């Protein structure tokens, strides 16, 4: 379901006719919009921290969709507002194929691209578009010649109503995925593009929907700018909107994340106007039965996942030290390797990663995908920031402040070396910092590879928030490590002596 990349056009609208058109000027019609956003590959349910029961997951949300369709029949549209096909092992290790198969089985009508839907690169994204039995929308994404990446809009007749759907994605996507994933693409102002297209499409439809991945605050701006829309189904900000937010007559809805809720919006439409609406967020709790159809698909991919985790990706003559007491108090060869791989992946000056994110060692011999996933079990992703030398020094001081006690925030590093006096006063323990052999410049700007947890101030690293985000790749650190082992003919022990701790 993708447009021919050889055709250079400004608007590509997919028209799906499901029933005959009727004159709606004298009678009311009903439309039910079911919606999800920021599912991030959650095909199965999950248990939030400190919760007793599992929630969410498409395997249960599908049961709710089936129930609504039994009640409302062909009046139902099922939409997704982006970031659907990347995020968990059962999805990532198969480049989103499992997500698309589940969404096909659930009967989705359209998806707007989210920034993390680009995480596999353009070639794979085009393959997923071809696999899908529903269109991907992105009115504001073109190549440099102006050719759209995919459809800008969908027009579909639903139980006699002619419904238009325009999709847009965040303009900052080039820094919210790995830059190589969007090379040659231009992300235009989503509000400007959606507003322009809305003016053209409004006369042709009875209901006009913006399917957006630009965040709630930008959805509000879009509603203020483009009153031609009836509804904005949003994503990206992971916002929970229990009721629809009415902005100048435009209804904004969003359903949080991870398929934790099914968004429900019932419209009564008369003469191209919404005369009545009903809004609910339907929680996906552990009491919702799993869909047998979706569970069968999940079981198939889970079996393949277990095979994938046992895949040998490399061999090592040495063992790699990821023991808790060591990665939290000093450099280790595994900590150095993880930091080196991060730094190399984004071509940064240095890399900083918290030792608490390394949870196991790797024995000598064959190394499997599962071994690496055990070492890096958290859903941390690779980020690139720009930071001044003075902030890097502050981060190093924060790293060693608790020595000799263990500290999950103790940093494993690449591209720099420094000395530590553990008996010095806190804030004055770090000495002789060098970046690639040269003294750290306090006002000099450096590119720093890190993980999204630290970049957001995790483990008390508020100083890292002083940096400028250059790229939040969305790629899991564990997947970066797997790729490294697969590509390396032999994994050698990195150079040591990066953190010298005096007695």
């Amino acid at each position: 379901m993708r447009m021919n990349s050889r055709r250079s056009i400004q608007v590509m609208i997919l028209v799906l006719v499901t029933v005959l058109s009727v004159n709606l000027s004298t009678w009311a019609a009903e439309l039910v919009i079911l919606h999800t956003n920021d599912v991030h590959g959650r095909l199965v349910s999950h248990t939030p921290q400190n919760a007793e029961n599992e929630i969410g997951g498409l395997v249960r949300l599908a049961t709710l969709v089936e129930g609504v369709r039994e009640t409302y029949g062909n009046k139902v549209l099922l939409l997704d507002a982006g970031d659907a096909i990347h995020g968990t092992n059962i999805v990532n290790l198969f480049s989103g194929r499992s997500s698309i198969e589940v969404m096909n089985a659930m009967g989705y009508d359209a998806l707007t691209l989210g920034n993390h839907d680009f995480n596999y690169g353009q070639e794979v994204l085009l393959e997923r578009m071809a696999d899908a039995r529903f269109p991907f929308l992105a009115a504001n994404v073109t190549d440099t010649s102006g050719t759209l990446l995919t459809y800008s809009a969908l027009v579909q007749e639903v139980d006699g109503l002619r419904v238009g759907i325009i999709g847009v994605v965040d303009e900052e996507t080039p820094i919210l995925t790995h830059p190589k994933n969007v090379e040659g693409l231009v992300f235009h102002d989503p509000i400007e593009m959606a507003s322009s297209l809305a003016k053209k499409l409004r006369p042709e439809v009875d209901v006009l929907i913006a399917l957006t991945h630009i965040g709630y605050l930008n959805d509000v701006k879009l509603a203020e700018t483009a009153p031609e829309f009836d509804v904005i189904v949003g994503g990206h900000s992971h916002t929970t909107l229990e009721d629809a937010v009415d902005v100048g007559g435009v209804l904004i809805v969003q359903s949080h994340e991870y398929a934790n809720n099914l968004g429900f919006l019932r419209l009564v439409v008369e003469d191209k106007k919404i005369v009545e609406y009903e809004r609910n967020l339907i929680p996906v709790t552990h009491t919702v039965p799993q869909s047998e159809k979706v569970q069968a698909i999940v079981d198939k991919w889970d079996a393949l996942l277990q095979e994938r985790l046992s895949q040998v990706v490399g061999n090592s003559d040495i063992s790699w030290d990821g023991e808790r007491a060591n990665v939290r108090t000093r450099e280790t060869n595994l900590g150095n390797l993880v930091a080196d791989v991060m730094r190399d992946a984004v071509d940064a000056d240095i890399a900083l990663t918290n030792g608490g994110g390394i949870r196991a060692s790797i024995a000598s011999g064959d190394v499997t995908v599962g071994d690496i996933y055990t070492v890096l079990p958290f859903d941390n992703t690779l980020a690139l920031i720009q930071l001044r030398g003075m902030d890097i020094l502050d981060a190093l001081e924060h790293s060693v402040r608790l020595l000799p006690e263990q500290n999950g925030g103790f940093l494993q590093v690449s591209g720099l070396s420094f000395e530590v006096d553990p008996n010095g006063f806190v804030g004055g323990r770090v000495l002789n910092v060098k970046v690639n052999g040269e003294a750290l410049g306090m006002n000099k700007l450096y590119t720093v590879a890190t993980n999204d947890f630290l970049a957001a101030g995790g483990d008390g690293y508020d100083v890292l928030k002083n940096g400028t985000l250059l790229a939040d790749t969305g790629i899991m650190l564990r997947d970066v490590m797997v790729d490294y082992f697969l590509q390396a003919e032999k994994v050698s022990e990195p150079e040591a002596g990066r953190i010298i701790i005096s007695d």
Side-chain angles (χ1 to χ4, degrees):
M1 299 289 297
R2 68 180 188 273
M3 67 172 291
N4 187 333
S5 61
R6 295 182 180 178
R7 292 186 63 192
S8 180
I9 57 177
Q10 296 304 312
V11 177
M12 185 72 169
I13 299 176
L14 180 64
V15 179
L16 298 181
V17 179
T18 57
V19 297
L20 293 176
S21 299
V22 295
N23 187 338
L24 298 177
S25 60
T26 58
W27 62 284
E30 197 172 39
L31 172 68
V32 174
I33 301 170
L34 301 180
H35 59 94
T36 55
N37 60 273
D38 300 285
V39 173
H40 289 280
R42 265 61 176 191
L43 305 186
V44 299
S45 301
H46 57 280
T47 304
Q49 188 174 8
N50 301 322
E52 294 184 1
N53 299 308
E54 61 183 16
I55 63 172
L58 292 181
V59 70
R60 283 192 162 90
L61 186 140
T63 299
L64 297 178
V65 172
E66 292 163 6
V68 174
R69 286 194 176 123
E70 287 177 3
T71 301
Y72 292 96
N74 60 2
K75 299 176 180 180
V76 177
L77 272 178
L78 178 58
L79 307 176
D80 186 88
D83 278 2
I85 65 172
H86 183 277
T88 59
N89 295 343
I90 198 171
V91 171
N92 294 357
L93 286 175
F94 306 104
S95 301
R97 289 163 55 203
S98 49
S99 273
I100 294 299
E101 184 171 351
V102 166
M103 295 178 77
N104 281 341
M106 292 175 62
Y108 271 85
D109 291 285
L111 171 149
T112 199
L113 285 172
N115 50 289
H116 289 309
D117 295 321
F118 289 86
N119 282 358
Y120 305 115
Q122 293 174 54
E123 182 177 351
V124 172
L125 178 57
L126 291 175
E127 291 173 358
R128 295 297 81 79
M129 289 180 185
D131 294 339
R133 295 200 293 266
F134 52 89
F136 285 45
L137 307 178
N140 64 318
V141 183
T142 70
D143 63 17
T144 54
S145 71
T147 302
L148 283 162
L149 175 68
T150 186
Y151 299 104
S152 58
L154 162 70
V155 176
Q156 182 168 349
E157 290 196 8
V158 183
D159 196 35
L161 282 173
R162 193 168 171 83
V163 181
I165 306 168
I166 297 171
V168 288
V169 62
D170 196 324
E171 189 177 8
E172 294 187 349
T173 293
I175 67 169
L176 299 175
T177 186
H178 197 295
K180 70 180 181 181
N181 295 333
V182 292
E183 285 179 349
L185 295 180
V186 180
F187 289 77
H188 304 274
D189 184 326
I191 295 176
E192 180 180 323
M193 296 300 292
S195 300
S196 175
L197 190 51
K199 290 178 173 61
K200 298 176 183 177
L201 199 54
R202 176 75 256 188
E204 308 299 324
V205 298
D206 301 295
V207 177
L208 186 57
I209 301 168
L211 187 59
T212 73
H213 195 82
I214 59 177
Y216 174 70
L217 294 180
N218 281 323
D219 284 338
V220 172
K221 293 179 183 177
L222 176 59
E224 293 170 343
T225 304
E228 293 84 2
F229 285 110
D230 296 296
V231 175
I232 297 176
V233 176
H236 190 41
S237 54
H238 297 229
T239 305
T240 304
L241 296 180
E242 296 285 350
D243 198 0
V245 176
D246 188 332
V247 178
V250 182
L251 301 177
I252 302 175
V253 295
Q254 196 175 148
S255 64
H256 192 215
E257 63 185 8
Y258 303 160
N260 289 345
N261 304 289
L262 174 63
F264 174 97
L265 180 65
R266 183 182 66 86
L267 306 177
V268 177
V269 182
E270 184 175 349
D271 196 19
K272 298 189 176 186
K273 297 184 184 300
I274 297 174
V275 296
E276 178 186 334
Y277 75 87
E278 175 190 0
R279 162 67 173 171
N280 288 301
L281 273 188
I282 307 174
V284 182
T285 69
H286 71 285
T287 62
V288 176
Q290 297 173 339
S291 163
E292 293 183 3
K293 177 171 61 176
V294 173
Q295 186 63 56
I297 296 171
V298 169
D299 289 344
K300 179 188 73 172
W301 286 102
D302 187 60
L304 294 173
L305 172 63
Q306 300 313 311
E307 291 181 18
R308 180 78 168 89
L309 291 175
S310 65
Q311 177 188 351
V312 174
V313 294
N315 186 277
S316 177
D317 296 333
I318 63 172
S319 60
W320 297 90
D321 183 5
E323 295 306 303
R324 178 186 179 94
N326 296 337
V327 294
R328 293 168 179 245
T329 57
R330 60 180 176 84
E331 73 172 282
T332 74
N333 62 352
L334 182 55
N336 288 343
L337 179 65
V338 172
D340 282 354
V341 171
M342 292 169 61
R343 177 186 171 213
D344 181 68
V346 289
D347 193 24
D349 295 321
I350 69 173
L352 306 173
T353 193
N354 51 316
I358 298 173
R359 309 297 280 194
S361 297
I362 301 177
S364 60
D366 288 342
V367 178
T368 67
V369 173
D371 290 332
I372 295 173
Y373 276 42
T374 301
V375 168
L376 300 169
F378 302 111
D379 291 341
N380 291 335
T381 59
L382 181 61
L384 179 67
I385 61 177
Q386 188 179 62
L387 208 60
R388 291 193 180 276
M390 65 181 72
D391 292 322
I392 293 172
L393 178 59
D394 284 349
L396 297 179
E397 291 284 4
H398 184 75
S399 168
V400 303
R401 74 194 188 284
L402 298 180
L403 285 176
E405 295 179 20
Q406 294 183 30
N407 169 26
F410 183 87
L411 294 174
Q412 302 291 325
V413 304
S414 175
L416 58 76
S417 63
F418 59 98
E419 300 170 11
V420 182
D421 177 4
N423 298 313
F425 64 89
V426 173
R429 293 182 167 190
V430 175
L431 308 168
N432 197 26
V433 183
K434 293 183 178 179
V435 176
N436 299 314
E438 297 184 0
L440 179 73
M442 292 296 101
N443 290 312
K444 185 175 180 180
L445 290 171
Y446 297 90
T447 53
V448 181
T450 187
N451 60 64
D452 61 329
F453 171 70
L454 291 185
D459 271 339
Y461 281 97
D462 289 338
V463 66
L464 296 188
K465 295 192 291 185
N466 294 340
T468 300
L469 180 66
L470 300 179
D472 180 0
T473 69
I475 301 173
M476 302 290 183
L477 293 186
R478 53 180 176 252
D479 293 334
V480 176
M481 285 292 291
V482 167
D483 288 344
Y484 175 80
F485 270 83
L486 284 170
Q487 294 170 14
E489 293 183 4
K490 182 180 180 181
V491 180
S492 301
E493 189 167 25
E495 182 180 357
R498 305 175 186 193
I499 306 174
I500 308 299
I501 301 176
S502 62
D503 296 330

